[in-house]
Amino acid sequence: MQFDLTDDQRGLYDAAFRYAEAELHPLFARMDDEDWFPPDLIARLGADGYCGLTAPPDLGGAGMDLVSAGLVGEAFGYWNTNAAFVWGPHENLCLNNILRNGTPEQIARFAPDLIAGRKIGALGLTEPGAGSDALGSMALRAVRDGGDYVLTGRKMFISNGPVADLVLTYAKTAPDLGPKGISAFVVETGTPGFSVAQTLTKMGWRGCPTGELVFEGVRVPAANLLGAENQGVGIVMSGLDIERAFLGTPYLGAAQRCLDLSLDYAATRKQFGRPIGSFQMIQSHLAEMSTALEAARVYTYQALAACDALRRGEGGRGRVHQLCAGAVLNGAAMIAKVTDLAVQIHGGSGFVWETEVNRHYRNARIASLGGGTTEVRKLIVAEELFRARGLRLG
């Protein structure tokens, strides 16, 4: 498959790149050093037209496909990966899910404020006892009571959870059906019974509020049920596919930034009377960084293009499932390798907390955990390989 960008997409990337350099990069150091969340970040991004990229223009969105939106994610990740991972859960995990699965009435109620940045969105899937087995082990319950559902339980490791106004939340409505008894709800966090138990302190993604959410008899109107009751697993899986590909794009930007910083450092840092970039071992590191990055870039955008094609009714869901899992599997390995080599090239300075390559090195560790672990991604790819060939394993 040959893949290239249109002139419009290249222009979009360039504009987002310049915007991120001016508006997001100045926030990066403080976010990481102080674990500081810029309270007006989403509002600013919304006002400047960077929220609702995949939303229709009649709602105030940009009407983009996922490939184009991913280019913005890559540009943001280059200049401030932490800000990109506040924006990504809002833009993709919450808003895009509502746009794809909501009724016209739900979209009209919730999307405009998310697009404008007046409200912050999050997605609540993982729980204290439900990580890789998020569906089978889900304990949050939703019980129908008249015109409402009453939600009781907890969610854990929720990106944007401590600052969100809306949380797209998955809960068991028919526990006896296991994973097939899950439903999706849009929960407004101002509802009585909702609270944040803790905001977590992380080694990376600092300034990206991540927390444990508590639902103590939270009454959610039945009108906030997203999709049909007990049909949430389809929303989960399609959302995870897009999440895996889309949230990999900031890591492409971060890897490119690390490569660029390493090239500059290798050209100016001298040892033994020569720039270290003249030594073959350093050149080997740079070559490995570049080739790993370029391979991951093609894989990621191919996965996003497949998601776009599926939305148009082209291609199969199994192939998309495999591509998205494979893209994030490969991307996690790529960012781990690129950031590690960037620190190696920078030597002792790369080991210092406040250097930029160090920030990216710490951020990279979550790439093999979030949105499904590396081990789960490998299982998905292998299962789809067998399924595509009609092979059964017992």
Side-chain angles (χ1 to χ4, degrees):
M1 177 183 292
Q2 185 173 351
F3 182 81
D4 201 3
L5 301 178
T6 66
D7 289 341
D8 286 344
Q9 288 172 327
R10 293 182 188 279
L12 169 67
Y13 175 84
D14 290 342
F17 188 88
R18 293 191 299 270
Y19 175 86
E21 181 180 13
E23 301 296 334
L24 301 184
H25 190 57
L27 308 175
F28 191 23
R30 184 181 174 189
M31 290 181 74
D32 187 65
D33 290 342
E34 302 177 16
D35 204 6
W36 171 68
F37 166 68
D40 63 341
L41 176 61
I42 294 298
R44 288 168 57 187
L45 289 171
D48 293 336
Y50 283 105
C51 292
L53 297 183
T54 59
D58 60 357
L59 289 173
M64 294 182 190
D65 58 18
L66 289 167
V67 169
S68 299
L71 291 168
V72 175
E74 181 175 347
F76 284 6
Y78 185 97
W79 288 112
N80 188 338
T81 318
N82 298 28
F85 283 115
V86 174
W87 168 79
H90 167 90
E91 173 75 8
N92 182 259
L93 304 190
C94 183
L95 175 56
N96 185 264
N97 256 316
I98 292 173
L99 291 171
R100 288 185 297 107
N101 298 289
T103 64
E105 293 76 17
Q106 290 170 332
I107 293 171
R109 284 175 56 207
F110 298 123
D113 283 341
L114 294 170
I115 293 167
R118 290 187 292 267
K119 291 186 177 179
I120 299 174
L123 181 141
L125 177 62
T126 305
E127 298 182 1
S132 293
D133 186 21
L135 303 181
S137 299
M138 188 177 295
L140 182 67
R141 297 288 186 262
V143 178
R144 185 68 182 256
D145 182 24
D148 299 328
Y149 287 86
V150 180
L151 275 60
T152 303
R154 291 174 179 254
K155 293 293 180 183
M156 188 63 165
F157 305 120
I158 306 306
S159 299
N160 289 356
V163 296
D165 300 290
L166 301 175
V167 181
L168 176 54
T169 304
Y170 295 99
K172 286 281 185 70
T173 40
D176 55 311
L177 297 179
K180 295 183 178 180
I182 293 171
S183 301
F185 301 89
V186 180
V187 177
E188 298 169 88
T189 60
T191 306
F194 177 90
S195 63
V196 178
Q198 58 177 323
T199 299
L200 304 170
T201 301
K202 310 180 297 296
M203 66 180 283
W205 280 18
R206 292 169 60 77
C208 310
T210 305
E212 181 180 9
L213 310 182
V214 179
F215 300 78
E216 295 180 324
V218 176
R219 301 189 74 89
V220 178
N224 288 23
L225 174 69
L226 199 68
E229 186 177 287
N230 299 329
Q231 298 299 312
V233 68
I235 299 175
V236 171
M237 298 315 298
S238 65
L240 278 174
D241 284 340
I242 296 173
E243 171 190 351
R244 286 167 175 151
F246 185 83
L247 293 187
T249 60
Y251 282 120
L252 299 176
Q256 185 67 63
R257 178 64 172 167
C258 286
L259 175 59
D260 291 348
L261 290 169
S262 298
L263 285 165
D264 290 343
Y265 189 82
T268 56
R269 171 69 168 172
K270 291 185 177 180
Q271 292 292 285
F272 307 102
R274 299 163 55 188
I276 64 171
S278 67
F279 298 118
Q280 288 183 340
M281 289 299 293
I282 299 299
Q283 292 176 2
S284 173
H285 291 337
L286 293 166
E288 289 184 23
M289 293 165 73
S290 177
T291 52
L293 169 58
E294 289 302 328
R297 183 174 277 130
V298 173
Y299 205 155
T300 298
Y301 285 110
Q302 182 184 9
L304 286 172
C307 290
D308 281 326
L310 185 64
R311 186 169 59 174
R312 297 192 301 267
E314 305 168 10
R317 185 168 297 280
R319 176 61 173 160
V320 170
H321 199 40
Q322 178 186 335
L323 276 173
C324 291
V328 73
L329 173 66
N330 181 69
M334 178 277 295
I335 192 63
K337 178 176 186 175
V338 168
T339 56
D340 183 66
L341 289 175
V343 170
Q344 189 71 22
I345 290 169
H346 281 75
S349 64
F351 192 65
V352 176
W353 182 276
E354 65 263 21
T355 57
E356 196 163 346
V357 293
N358 188 279
R359 303 185 200 281
H360 288 298
Y361 179 83
R362 286 182 280 106
N363 279 340
R365 190 60 187 87
I366 190 62
S368 63
L369 302 171
T373 63
T374 288
E375 293 79 6
V376 169
R377 297 163 192 168
K378 289 179 178 179
L379 290 175
I380 292 170
V381 172
E383 287 169 357
E384 290 301 332
L385 288 173
F386 282 116
R387 185 174 291 111
R389 288 156 179 78
L391 301 173
R392 299 177 62 86
L393 299 177

